[in-house]
Amino acid sequence: NTMQSKNNCYSYALDDFDNGNDWGLQPGYAEGEMTWRDNMSLENVKNAALSDGRIKVPNFLNKLGFGKRGYYEVYLVVDNTDGIKDYHWYRQDKGGYWSQKHGIGSVNNVDGSGRLISNPAYANHNYGTYPNGTLNYNGGGLFLWVKRR
C-alpha cells in the first residue's frame, strides 16, 4: 500500500505522507530545521517538529481538557545511548490505545514486549538488537499534540 511505504513514524503520527521521500517526513522538514540530526535529544527533535507548525506543547490548562478541540495526542521518544541514534513517535487512536509505525514497516499497536499500548509513558520502547546497536527508546518521552487535518 502506497501510504505504508511512504510513511514513517513521524508522518504516521502527523497523519500525513511525503510522496517524494520513501522514508517519510522528518521533523523540521517544513522549515529546513534539521540540526537535531547532529545532536539527537528529545528537546531538539521536539523543537524541529514544533517548527513544522502542526505540533503543539500541552500547557497546564490544556491538560485539564481546555483547548484540545481539533488536536490529538502523540508521544515522542529518542534513543541516543549507543550506536543507534533515532527518534520514534506514537499516536493515540480512537478508543484510547496507541499505535506506531517503524520506518516503512506496517502499523501496529503493541510495544517492545508485544503488549497493547494504553499509555506510551509506561510502554516498553526496547525493540531489540540491530547490527549497530540496540533500538531502545526507554530514556523517557514527551506527550505532544498534533493539529488534525
Side-chain angles (χ1 to χ4, degrees):
N1 126 1
T2 305
M3 191 66 162
Q4 180 168 310
S5 65
K6 303 291 187 189
N7 228 210
N8 63 5
C9 64
Y10 182 56
S11 51
Y12 176 72
L14 292 178
D15 198 22
D16 198 357
F17 72 105
D18 178 3
N19 267 322
N21 179 357
D22 281 342
W23 287 97
L25 302 173
Q26 300 294 325
Y29 74 95
E31 297 298 320
E33 179 49 59
M34 308 290 269
T35 55
W36 56 264
R37 289 180 183 215
D38 301 324
N39 185 4
M40 182 77 64
S41 71
L42 275 173
E43 190 69 14
N44 289 348
V45 177
K46 175 196 79 173
N47 288 339
L50 290 175
S51 77
D52 292 334
R54 299 241 345 262
I55 290 190
K56 176 176 167 179
V57 177
N59 63 34
F60 179 72
L61 286 177
N62 294 342
K63 286 178 182 168
L64 296 177
F66 302 107
K68 194 169 177 182
R69 189 173 301 125
Y71 287 84
Y72 60 93
E73 212 162 11
V74 294
Y75 191 71
L76 168 65
V77 290
V78 165
D79 176 1
N80 57 8
T81 56
D82 61 14
I84 297 177
K85 307 271 187 256
D86 194 24
Y87 62 81
H88 191 56
W89 295 82
Y90 300 83
R91 81 176 190 201
Q92 190 171 33
D93 299 323
K94 288 178 175 62
Y97 284 105
W98 293 69
S99 59
Q100 62 172 334
K101 184 176 188 314
H102 285 285
I104 58 172
S106 53
V107 170
N108 70 64
N109 60 355
V110 295
D111 69 7
S113 301
R115 291 188 305 256
L116 286 173
I117 304 168
S118 57
N119 182 342
Y122 299 110
N124 178 0
H125 308 288
N126 187 336
Y127 293 97
T129 305
Y130 288 77
N132 55 343
T134 301
L135 194 56
N136 183 356
Y137 309 98
N138 278 329
L142 290 169
F143 285 100
L144 299 163
W145 289 354
V146 174
K147 190 164 186 49
R148 291 188 195 285
R149 285 221 168 276

